[in-house]
Amino acid sequence: MSELRCDPLLKRWVLIAPGRESRPDDFAVAITNGQPDHPCPFCEGNESLTGPEVLVRRSTNSTANGPGWDIRVVPNRYPAVAPEPASQIWGATAGFSESGWGRHEVIVETPRHLPLTATHAPEHWHRLFEVFQQRLMDFRTVAGLQHAIVFKNHGPAAGASLMHPHCQVIALPRVPDAVTAELQAGEQRWHQAGKCPRCELLDAEIEAGTRLVATAPEVVAWCPPASRFPYETWLLPRQHSSHFESADPGVLAELARQLSGILTRLEQVVPGLSYNLVLQTAPLHAPALAGFHWRLEILPRLTGMAGFEWGSGWFINPVAPERAARELRCNDRLGEGG
Amino acid sequence: MSELRCDPLLKRWVLIAPGRESRPDDFAVAITNGQPDHPCPFCEGNESLTGPEVLVRRSTNSTANGPGWDIRVVPNRYPAVAPEPASQIWGATAGFSESGWGRHEVIVETPRHLPLTATHAPEHWHRLFEVFQQRLMDFRTVAGLQHAIVFKNHGPAAGASLMHPHCQVIALPRVPDAVTAELQAGEQRWHQAGKCPRCELLDAEIEAGTRLVATAPEVVAWCPPASRFPYETWLLPRQHSSHFESADPGVLAELARQLSGILTRLEQVVPGLSYNLVLQTAPLHAPALAGFHWRLEILPRLTGMAGFEWGSGWFINPVAPERAARELRCNDRLGEGG
């Protein structure tokens, strides 16, 4: 059973999740044996190895939980959160511990066991984004769920344990403090300036140009000034919007085009790169927020967190974002910017 | 030249440090070639491969920057910070960027190229702690330095790039926000309760016993309730103290005894484990603080940070600290507790 715990002085939250301890690890096994020692649960034909579909895009003449799909959402077999709140928690100091419940799902991106170096075509990313939107909308109907993190761990250095391309989503009964702090800072600056502060920064970046990777009327990609990671890239809608669920097909299409292009380019710049994708969007039940702007973050994992980072909360990034953007925009497919 | 940058909405600081990009990596090379392809700069006899000693413990008949030492502190060849403030910074949006300067030093723990599985005897850890204290005292005399992080990256999964046992220290011109937040939370609770809140939690842990690893009149070791990592263990002085520099020899001796025992036990429980050590102590120029309690953190690196962690700021820990403590205290050397 999972438990949410917080250090009362550090305000740092941890999901104690014993259910995840025994999950398989393709990469650890592959390092010793060359090949994973189990059939891939995400390949077409192996649907019985996962829980039942929560959401699926499949051909009309196929059967639920059988072959014939192109995107499939299933419960995570080793969830970080329990499906329902526990009536009793079993561990820590009273007041700093609560039930760790919610939803933890796997979005199997494709029936095919693609190599890590492959990137989906823009059209397929577009379909995946529509699935993200659908999951976020569905979570709004579950009483008690407050926030969802949609993410992808790609490659062993990014925390992936299975090779088959997949995203994940974890929906939580609590908005993380870091998200709340960003919302509050944004609202406060909006009240001062009458404009979304991220929109303002976006305008300044477009004006300066040095950190731009790609621009289009719908979406801008750039390496943020305080990039935590080498080649960290953020994709944001040009028109202000706090909720990814509200993005229209034009925005999703351009987002898909830029993401596909940047991932292809990253693989050229750093072959075999591991990365995380993280969708930063407003809490499930928040109204449209004038001071918060959703974004999709690409977080390449060339550098590790180490003692200094744990001790300070700061990051060390050896590749200046100005240089990262210069290298990433050497690609005509990415649009007019740069 | 290094630069300190902050995202204005996230309040997240990053050291942009192009000087670290070309540092050698024993582990990456060893994975492909079996052996590092360069002589170890930290072995006795290779002193000319490092910068000049900043601090050293050496035999009286030996010569500076030659053989004959047992602990040696030298500047990091690939520093995260520049040695002096830059008169001009070169990059980010005004107001969210400043010169990234300070001190980045390597504390070479021993002249011998020990394997990763080795742990120093308590007496040697005691000598290392005295060196930590001396560096912290010395940094107090450098105008502008505000805070120092002493840490150790042990093994490739913990961010180490060189195999030879070494610690590091980075001194900064700014107290990290996470440290300030903990100091403020501690002072606030001290004013409410008239007691250091960490001392209170410590008393409760000793009373409960379930997460204790070792206790002695000078030092307690336990797995904190909100452990971020499997087998995360904190060592704290029993008597309240905010500054590691002020710890007396009795405390250091017991700290050394417990650290040596726990690292030995960890190697039995998880052979070949990578870990970080982090010293959390008060800022250099802070007075003795009633609400902050220094600690040494052992952070085993069995789990990685991935998309969920970046998106939420939360951690997922699959090993409950109650279980971790039970496994770690199966060792008589660790003292009377448990």
Side-chain angles (χ1 to χ4, degrees):
Chain A
M1 193 189 318
S2 287
E3 189 178 322
L4 251 174
R5 295 187 185 176
C6 176
D7 181 283
L9 298 172
L10 301 172
K11 311 279 161 65
R12 194 165 56 199
W13 288 84
V14 178
L15 270 167
I16 305 288
R20 280 182 73 67
E21 206 180 348
S22 55
R23 72 191 168 125
D25 189 329
D26 273 2
F27 296 101
V29 173
I31 284 164
T32 47
N33 298 340
Q35 283 293 324
D37 58 356
H38 57 89
C40 174
F42 300 156
C43 276
E44 190 164 29
N46 294 346
E47 290 79 7
S48 64
L49 299 177
T50 70
E53 295 162 4
V54 176
L55 180 69
V56 71
R57 282 176 46 97
R58 57 167 60 255
S59 57
T60 46
N61 57 353
S62 66
T63 316
N65 298 302
W69 48 276
D70 77 342
I71 298 172
R72 189 166 184 259
V73 185
V74 295
N76 191 308
R77 275 259 152 137
Y78 303 91
V81 287
E84 299 297 337
S87 56
Q88 209 177 0
I89 51 165
W90 47 272
T93 318
F96 308 117
S97 172
E98 59 186 57
S99 176
W101 74 280
R103 296 288 180 273
H104 188 172
E105 298 174 349
V106 174
I107 301 163
V108 186
E109 297 169 23
T110 162
R112 296 185 299 142
H113 200 86
L114 295 178
L116 282 176
T117 50
T119 303
H120 303 305
E123 301 69 38
H124 196 68
W125 278 114
H126 191 160
R127 288 190 286 272
L128 283 163
F129 294 152
E130 288 170 347
V131 169
F132 296 174
Q133 288 186 322
Q134 190 59 54
R135 292 319 294 140
L136 292 169
M137 295 301 291
D138 289 348
F139 292 144
R140 288 189 187 183
T141 68
V142 180
L145 290 184
Q146 300 293 336
H147 193 69
I149 312 279
V150 183
F151 61 100
K152 175 175 170 69
N153 302 338
H154 180 91
S161 54
L162 293 174
M163 287 185 195
H164 192 118
H166 65 287
C167 294
Q168 296 180 66
V169 56
I170 299 183
L172 301 164
R174 177 180 267 280
V175 181
D177 290 355
V179 176
T180 304
E182 185 181 352
L183 299 182
Q184 287 172 346
E187 289 298 301
Q188 195 184 336
R189 287 171 61 103
W190 181 86
H191 279 295
Q192 288 161 3
K195 188 170 180 187
C196 160
R198 200 59 80 186
C199 286
E200 275 193 290
L201 292 165
L202 193 56
D203 290 345
E205 290 291 336
I206 292 169
E207 172 97 9
T210 49
R211 286 176 289 264
L212 276 189
V213 176
T215 61
E218 302 84 8
V219 173
V220 180
W222 90 91
C223 300
S227 290
R228 291 156 286 177
F229 303 100
Y231 306 101
E232 175 171 344
T233 307
W234 289 9
L235 297 120
L236 279 88
R238 276 292 269 276
Q239 195 174 338
H240 180 80
S241 166
S242 56
H243 287 73
F244 179 78
E245 306 92 290
S246 318
D248 64 33
V251 170
L252 294 191
E254 179 59 25
L255 187 72
R257 199 177 74 86
Q258 291 191 13
L259 178 63
S260 183
I262 293 169
L263 292 179
T264 302
R265 178 70 190 149
L266 270 171
E267 178 63 31
Q268 293 165 357
V269 173
V270 191
L273 182 74
S274 292
Y275 62 82
N276 300 114
L277 295 183
V278 180
L279 181 64
Q280 291 283 12
T281 185
L284 295 170
H285 302 290
L289 298 168
F292 180 80
H293 199 126
W294 70 258
R295 64 183 176 270
L296 182 64
E297 300 181 347
I298 307 173
L299 307 175
R301 300 296 299 280
L302 290 159
T303 48
M305 297 287 282
F308 174 74
E309 288 81 355
W310 305 130
S312 64
W314 293 6
F315 293 77
I316 299 176
N317 177 0
V319 178
E322 294 74 19
R323 182 188 133 187
R326 203 162 52 234
E327 293 185 42
L328 290 179
R329 70 179 169 242
C330 295
N331 187 342
D332 289 333
R333 288 184 57 203
L334 297 182
E336 76 209 40
Chain B
M1 192 190 318
S2 288
E3 190 178 320
L4 252 174
R5 295 188 185 176
C6 176
D7 182 282
L9 298 172
L10 302 171
K11 309 279 160 66
R12 194 163 59 197
W13 288 83
V14 178
L15 270 165
I16 305 288
R20 280 181 73 67
E21 206 181 347
S22 54
R23 71 192 169 123
D25 190 330
D26 273 2
F27 296 101
V29 173
I31 286 165
T32 47
N33 298 340
Q35 284 293 324
D37 59 355
H38 56 88
C40 174
F42 300 156
C43 277
E44 192 166 27
N46 293 348
E47 290 79 7
S48 66
L49 298 178
T50 70
E53 295 160 7
V54 176
L55 180 69
V56 68
R57 284 175 44 98
R58 56 167 59 254
S59 58
T60 45
N61 57 353
S62 66
T63 317
N65 296 303
W69 49 276
D70 77 343
I71 297 172
R72 189 165 182 260
V73 185
V74 295
N76 192 306
R77 276 260 154 138
Y78 303 91
V81 287
E84 301 296 336
S87 56
Q88 208 177 359
I89 52 165
W90 47 272
T93 319
F96 308 117
S97 171
E98 57 186 60
S99 176
W101 74 281
R103 296 287 180 274
H104 189 172
E105 298 173 349
V106 173
I107 300 164
V108 186
E109 296 169 23
T110 161
R112 295 185 300 142
H113 200 87
L114 295 177
L116 282 175
T117 51
T119 303
H120 303 304
E123 302 70 39
H124 196 68
W125 277 114
H126 191 158
R127 288 189 286 271
L128 282 163
F129 294 152
E130 288 171 345
V131 168
F132 296 174
Q133 289 186 321
Q134 189 61 54
R135 293 318 293 140
L136 293 169
M137 294 301 290
D138 289 346
F139 292 144
R140 289 190 187 182
T141 68
V142 180
L145 290 183
Q146 300 294 337
H147 193 70
I149 312 279
V150 184
F151 61 99
K152 176 177 170 70
N153 301 338
H154 181 91
S161 52
L162 293 173
M163 288 184 192
H164 193 118
H166 65 285
C167 294
Q168 296 180 66
V169 56
I170 298 183
L172 300 164
R174 178 180 267 280
V175 180
D177 290 354
V179 175
T180 303
E182 185 182 352
L183 299 181
Q184 287 173 346
E187 289 297 302
Q188 195 185 337
R189 286 171 62 101
W190 181 85
H191 279 293
Q192 288 160 2
K195 190 171 179 188
C196 160
R198 200 59 80 187
C199 285
E200 275 193 291
L201 291 165
L202 193 57
D203 289 347
E205 291 292 336
I206 292 169
E207 173 97 7
T210 49
R211 287 177 288 265
L212 277 187
V213 177
T215 61
E218 302 84 6
V219 173
V220 180
W222 92 91
C223 299
S227 291
R228 291 157 285 178
F229 304 100
Y231 305 101
E232 176 171 345
T233 307
W234 290 7
L235 298 118
L236 279 88
R238 277 292 269 276
Q239 194 173 337
H240 180 80
S241 166
S242 55
H243 287 72
F244 180 79
E245 306 92 289
S246 317
D248 65 31
V251 170
L252 294 191
E254 179 59 25
L255 186 73
R257 197 177 75 86
Q258 291 192 14
L259 177 62
S260 182
I262 293 167
L263 292 178
T264 302
R265 178 69 189 150
L266 270 172
E267 178 62 32
Q268 292 165 359
V269 173
V270 191
L273 182 75
S274 291
Y275 61 82
N276 299 114
L277 296 183
V278 180
L279 180 64
Q280 291 283 14
T281 185
L284 295 170
H285 301 290
L289 298 168
F292 179 81
H293 200 127
W294 70 259
R295 64 184 177 271
L296 181 65
E297 300 180 349
I298 307 172
L299 307 176
R301 299 297 298 281
L302 290 159
T303 48
M305 298 288 281
F308 174 74
E309 287 83 353
W310 305 131
S312 64
W314 293 7
F315 293 77
I316 299 176
N317 178 359
V319 178
E322 294 74 20
R323 182 189 135 187
R326 203 162 55 235
E327 292 186 42
L328 290 178
R329 69 180 171 243
C330 294
N331 186 342
D332 289 333
R333 289 184 57 205
L334 297 182
E336 76 210 39

PDB file of all heavy atoms in Angstrom, chain A residues 286-306:
ATOM      1  N   ALA A 286      -8.624  23.479 -11.703  1.00  0.00           N
ATOM      2  CA  ALA A 286      -8.373  24.924 -11.722  1.00  0.00           C
ATOM      3  C   ALA A 286      -9.166  25.546 -12.865  1.00  0.00           C
ATOM      4  O   ALA A 286      -9.311  24.944 -13.931  1.00  0.00           O
ATOM      5  CB  ALA A 286      -6.887  25.196 -11.903  1.00  0.00           C
ATOM      6  N   PRO A 287      -9.682  26.780 -12.662  1.00  0.00           N
ATOM      7  CA  PRO A 287     -10.290  27.495 -13.794  1.00  0.00           C
ATOM      8  C   PRO A 287      -9.180  27.927 -14.750  1.00  0.00           C
ATOM      9  O   PRO A 287      -8.000  27.742 -14.453  1.00  0.00           O
ATOM     10  CB  PRO A 287     -10.919  28.717 -13.113  1.00  0.00           C
ATOM     11  CG  PRO A 287     -10.072  28.942 -11.899  1.00  0.00           C
ATOM     12  CD  PRO A 287      -9.629  27.576 -11.442  1.00  0.00           C
ATOM     13  N   ALA A 288      -9.540  28.473 -15.888  1.00  0.00           N
ATOM     14  CA  ALA A 288      -8.533  29.027 -16.803  1.00  0.00           C
ATOM     15  C   ALA A 288      -7.736  30.089 -16.041  1.00  0.00           C
ATOM     16  O   ALA A 288      -8.319  30.997 -15.441  1.00  0.00           O
ATOM     17  CB  ALA A 288      -9.215  29.641 -18.021  1.00  0.00           C
ATOM     18  N   LEU A 289      -6.417  29.943 -16.022  1.00  0.00           N
ATOM     19  CA  LEU A 289      -5.565  30.799 -15.194  1.00  0.00           C
ATOM     20  C   LEU A 289      -4.819  31.798 -16.073  1.00  0.00           C
ATOM     21  O   LEU A 289      -4.139  31.410 -17.027  1.00  0.00           O
ATOM     22  CB  LEU A 289      -4.553  29.946 -14.432  1.00  0.00           C
ATOM     23  CG  LEU A 289      -5.130  28.927 -13.438  1.00  0.00           C
ATOM     24  CD1 LEU A 289      -4.046  27.962 -12.967  1.00  0.00           C
ATOM     25  CD2 LEU A 289      -5.765  29.646 -12.260  1.00  0.00           C
ATOM     26  N   ALA A 290      -4.928  33.088 -15.700  1.00  0.00           N
ATOM     27  CA  ALA A 290      -4.266  34.120 -16.505  1.00  0.00           C
ATOM     28  C   ALA A 290      -2.757  34.125 -16.302  1.00  0.00           C
ATOM     29  O   ALA A 290      -2.012  34.598 -17.150  1.00  0.00           O
ATOM     30  CB  ALA A 290      -4.841  35.489 -16.142  1.00  0.00           C
ATOM     31  N   GLY A 291      -2.276  33.572 -15.177  1.00  0.00           N
ATOM     32  CA  GLY A 291      -0.852  33.679 -14.850  1.00  0.00           C
ATOM     33  C   GLY A 291      -0.065  32.394 -15.042  1.00  0.00           C
ATOM     34  O   GLY A 291       1.117  32.339 -14.724  1.00  0.00           O
ATOM     35  N   PHE A 292      -0.710  31.346 -15.546  1.00  0.00           N
ATOM     36  CA  PHE A 292       0.010  30.082 -15.775  1.00  0.00           C
ATOM     37  C   PHE A 292      -0.149  29.652 -17.221  1.00  0.00           C
ATOM     38  O   PHE A 292      -1.249  29.721 -17.777  1.00  0.00           O
ATOM     39  CB  PHE A 292      -0.494  28.985 -14.831  1.00  0.00           C
ATOM     40  CG  PHE A 292       0.202  27.672 -15.032  1.00  0.00           C
ATOM     41  CD1 PHE A 292       1.457  27.451 -14.482  1.00  0.00           C
ATOM     42  CD2 PHE A 292      -0.361  26.671 -15.824  1.00  0.00           C
ATOM     43  CE1 PHE A 292       2.130  26.249 -14.698  1.00  0.00           C
ATOM     44  CE2 PHE A 292       0.296  25.462 -16.038  1.00  0.00           C
ATOM     45  CZ  PHE A 292       1.547  25.257 -15.473  1.00  0.00           C
ATOM     46  N   HIS A 293       0.932  29.168 -17.812  1.00  0.00           N
ATOM     47  CA  HIS A 293       1.010  28.884 -19.245  1.00  0.00           C
ATOM     48  C   HIS A 293       1.511  27.444 -19.379  1.00  0.00           C
ATOM     49  O   HIS A 293       2.615  27.137 -18.921  1.00  0.00           O
ATOM     50  CB  HIS A 293       2.028  29.881 -19.824  1.00  0.00           C
ATOM     51  CG  HIS A 293       1.959  30.090 -21.289  1.00  0.00           C
ATOM     52  ND1 HIS A 293       1.832  31.349 -21.843  1.00  0.00           N
ATOM     53  CD2 HIS A 293       2.026  29.236 -22.330  1.00  0.00           C
ATOM     54  CE1 HIS A 293       1.845  31.255 -23.166  1.00  0.00           C
ATOM     55  NE2 HIS A 293       1.950  29.986 -23.481  1.00  0.00           N
ATOM     56  N   TRP A 294       0.737  26.540 -19.958  1.00  0.00           N
ATOM     57  CA  TRP A 294       1.184  25.144 -20.021  1.00  0.00           C
ATOM     58  C   TRP A 294       2.401  25.003 -20.934  1.00  0.00           C
ATOM     59  O   TRP A 294       2.643  25.831 -21.810  1.00  0.00           O
ATOM     60  CB  TRP A 294       0.052  24.190 -20.418  1.00  0.00           C
ATOM     61  CG  TRP A 294      -0.465  24.245 -21.834  1.00  0.00           C
ATOM     62  CD1 TRP A 294      -1.616  24.856 -22.255  1.00  0.00           C
ATOM     63  CD2 TRP A 294       0.120  23.638 -23.003  1.00  0.00           C
ATOM     64  NE1 TRP A 294      -1.773  24.680 -23.597  1.00  0.00           N
ATOM     65  CE2 TRP A 294      -0.728  23.942 -24.098  1.00  0.00           C
ATOM     66  CE3 TRP A 294       1.261  22.884 -23.244  1.00  0.00           C
ATOM     67  CZ2 TRP A 294      -0.467  23.506 -25.400  1.00  0.00           C
ATOM     68  CZ3 TRP A 294       1.531  22.457 -24.539  1.00  0.00           C
ATOM     69  CH2 TRP A 294       0.673  22.762 -25.592  1.00  0.00           C
ATOM     70  N   ARG A 295       3.159  23.937 -20.726  1.00  0.00           N
ATOM     71  CA  ARG A 295       4.338  23.688 -21.559  1.00  0.00           C
ATOM     72  C   ARG A 295       4.664  22.200 -21.587  1.00  0.00           C
ATOM     73  O   ARG A 295       4.302  21.455 -20.673  1.00  0.00           O
ATOM     74  CB  ARG A 295       5.558  24.464 -21.051  1.00  0.00           C
ATOM     75  CG  ARG A 295       6.030  24.059 -19.665  1.00  0.00           C
ATOM     76  CD  ARG A 295       7.189  24.907 -19.160  1.00  0.00           C
ATOM     77  NE  ARG A 295       7.552  24.538 -17.794  1.00  0.00           N
ATOM     78  CZ  ARG A 295       7.041  25.078 -16.697  1.00  0.00           C
ATOM     79  NH1 ARG A 295       6.117  26.016 -16.777  1.00  0.00           N
ATOM     80  NH2 ARG A 295       7.445  24.667 -15.504  1.00  0.00           N
ATOM     81  N   LEU A 296       5.360  21.799 -22.635  1.00  0.00           N
ATOM     82  CA  LEU A 296       5.906  20.446 -22.733  1.00  0.00           C
ATOM     83  C   LEU A 296       7.419  20.574 -22.631  1.00  0.00           C
ATOM     84  O   LEU A 296       8.034  21.304 -23.414  1.00  0.00           O
ATOM     85  CB  LEU A 296       5.500  19.807 -24.065  1.00  0.00           C
ATOM     86  CG  LEU A 296       5.972  18.373 -24.287  1.00  0.00           C
ATOM     87  CD1 LEU A 296       5.346  17.410 -23.286  1.00  0.00           C
ATOM     88  CD2 LEU A 296       5.642  17.914 -25.720  1.00  0.00           C
ATOM     89  N   GLU A 297       8.018  19.876 -21.652  1.00  0.00           N
ATOM     90  CA  GLU A 297       9.465  19.979 -21.433  1.00  0.00           C
ATOM     91  C   GLU A 297      10.172  18.736 -21.978  1.00  0.00           C
ATOM     92  O   GLU A 297       9.758  17.615 -21.686  1.00  0.00           O
ATOM     93  CB  GLU A 297       9.768  20.092 -19.928  1.00  0.00           C
ATOM     94  CG  GLU A 297       9.142  21.302 -19.256  1.00  0.00           C
ATOM     95  CD  GLU A 297       9.460  21.411 -17.766  1.00  0.00           C
ATOM     96  OE1 GLU A 297       9.967  20.422 -17.193  1.00  0.00           O
ATOM     97  OE2 GLU A 297       9.184  22.469 -17.184  1.00  0.00           O
ATOM     98  N   ILE A 298      11.230  18.952 -22.750  1.00  0.00           N
ATOM     99  CA  ILE A 298      12.129  17.868 -23.165  1.00  0.00           C
ATOM    100  C   ILE A 298      13.367  17.979 -22.276  1.00  0.00           C
ATOM    101  O   ILE A 298      14.037  19.015 -22.271  1.00  0.00           O
ATOM    102  CB  ILE A 298      12.557  17.998 -24.644  1.00  0.00           C
ATOM    103  CG1 ILE A 298      11.343  18.145 -25.557  1.00  0.00           C
ATOM    104  CG2 ILE A 298      13.435  16.818 -25.063  1.00  0.00           C
ATOM    105  CD1 ILE A 298      11.724  18.454 -27.020  1.00  0.00           C
ATOM    106  N   LEU A 299      13.652  16.921 -21.506  1.00  0.00           N
ATOM    107  CA  LEU A 299      14.739  16.972 -20.524  1.00  0.00           C
ATOM    108  C   LEU A 299      15.770  15.885 -20.824  1.00  0.00           C
ATOM    109  O   LEU A 299      15.650  14.757 -20.330  1.00  0.00           O
ATOM    110  CB  LEU A 299      14.156  16.786 -19.115  1.00  0.00           C
ATOM    111  CG  LEU A 299      13.004  17.734 -18.733  1.00  0.00           C
ATOM    112  CD1 LEU A 299      12.428  17.377 -17.373  1.00  0.00           C
ATOM    113  CD2 LEU A 299      13.474  19.182 -18.754  1.00  0.00           C
ATOM    114  N   PRO A 300      16.767  16.188 -21.654  1.00  0.00           N
ATOM    115  CA  PRO A 300      17.806  15.190 -21.944  1.00  0.00           C
ATOM    116  C   PRO A 300      18.603  14.854 -20.686  1.00  0.00           C
ATOM    117  O   PRO A 300      18.809  15.717 -19.828  1.00  0.00           O
ATOM    118  CB  PRO A 300      18.677  15.897 -22.988  1.00  0.00           C
ATOM    119  CG  PRO A 300      17.787  16.941 -23.589  1.00  0.00           C
ATOM    120  CD  PRO A 300      16.947  17.408 -22.439  1.00  0.00           C
ATOM    121  N   ARG A 301      19.051  13.598 -20.587  1.00  0.00           N
ATOM    122  CA  ARG A 301      19.666  13.137 -19.336  1.00  0.00           C
ATOM    123  C   ARG A 301      21.123  12.755 -19.545  1.00  0.00           C
ATOM    124  O   ARG A 301      21.511  11.592 -19.443  1.00  0.00           O
ATOM    125  CB  ARG A 301      18.850  11.980 -18.778  1.00  0.00           C
ATOM    126  CG  ARG A 301      17.400  12.348 -18.475  1.00  0.00           C
ATOM    127  CD  ARG A 301      17.278  13.392 -17.387  1.00  0.00           C
ATOM    128  NE  ARG A 301      17.842  12.894 -16.159  1.00  0.00           N
ATOM    129  CZ  ARG A 301      17.223  12.065 -15.313  1.00  0.00           C
ATOM    130  NH1 ARG A 301      15.989  11.687 -15.568  1.00  0.00           N
ATOM    131  NH2 ARG A 301      17.803  11.624 -14.233  1.00  0.00           N
ATOM    132  N   LEU A 302      21.922  13.782 -19.846  1.00  0.00           N
ATOM    133  CA  LEU A 302      23.362  13.567 -19.994  1.00  0.00           C
ATOM    134  C   LEU A 302      24.086  13.755 -18.676  1.00  0.00           C
ATOM    135  O   LEU A 302      25.192  13.263 -18.492  1.00  0.00           O
ATOM    136  CB  LEU A 302      23.925  14.569 -21.010  1.00  0.00           C
ATOM    137  CG  LEU A 302      23.486  14.314 -22.444  1.00  0.00           C
ATOM    138  CD1 LEU A 302      23.624  15.566 -23.282  1.00  0.00           C
ATOM    139  CD2 LEU A 302      24.339  13.190 -23.003  1.00  0.00           C
ATOM    140  N   THR A 303      23.482  14.529 -17.783  1.00  0.00           N
ATOM    141  CA  THR A 303      24.106  14.797 -16.497  1.00  0.00           C
ATOM    142  C   THR A 303      23.250  14.164 -15.414  1.00  0.00           C
ATOM    143  O   THR A 303      22.041  14.034 -15.564  1.00  0.00           O
ATOM    144  CB  THR A 303      24.187  16.313 -16.238  1.00  0.00           C
ATOM    145  OG1 THR A 303      22.908  16.897 -16.525  1.00  0.00           O
ATOM    146  CG2 THR A 303      25.222  16.961 -17.125  1.00  0.00           C
ATOM    147  N   GLY A 304      23.866  13.764 -14.308  1.00  0.00           N
ATOM    148  CA  GLY A 304      23.125  13.135 -13.218  1.00  0.00           C
ATOM    149  C   GLY A 304      22.960  14.088 -12.057  1.00  0.00           C
ATOM    150  O   GLY A 304      23.659  15.083 -11.940  1.00  0.00           O
ATOM    151  N   MET A 305      21.986  13.787 -11.205  1.00  0.00           N
ATOM    152  CA  MET A 305      21.868  14.493  -9.938  1.00  0.00           C
ATOM    153  C   MET A 305      22.890  13.865  -8.995  1.00  0.00           C
ATOM    154  O   MET A 305      22.979  12.644  -8.895  1.00  0.00           O
ATOM    155  CB  MET A 305      20.475  14.308  -9.363  1.00  0.00           C
ATOM    156  CG  MET A 305      19.372  14.875 -10.217  1.00  0.00           C
ATOM    157  SD  MET A 305      19.338  16.672 -10.176  1.00  0.00           S
ATOM    158  CE  MET A 305      18.539  16.946  -8.572  1.00  0.00           C
ATOM    159  N   ALA A 306      23.621  14.685  -8.272  1.00  0.00           N
ATOM    160  CA  ALA A 306      24.627  14.142  -7.364  1.00  0.00           C
ATOM    161  C   ALA A 306      24.591  14.927  -6.057  1.00  0.00           C
ATOM    162  O   ALA A 306      23.637  15.671  -5.794  1.00  0.00           O
ATOM    163  CB  ALA A 306      25.991  14.158  -8.028  1.00  0.00           C
TER     164      ALA A 306
END
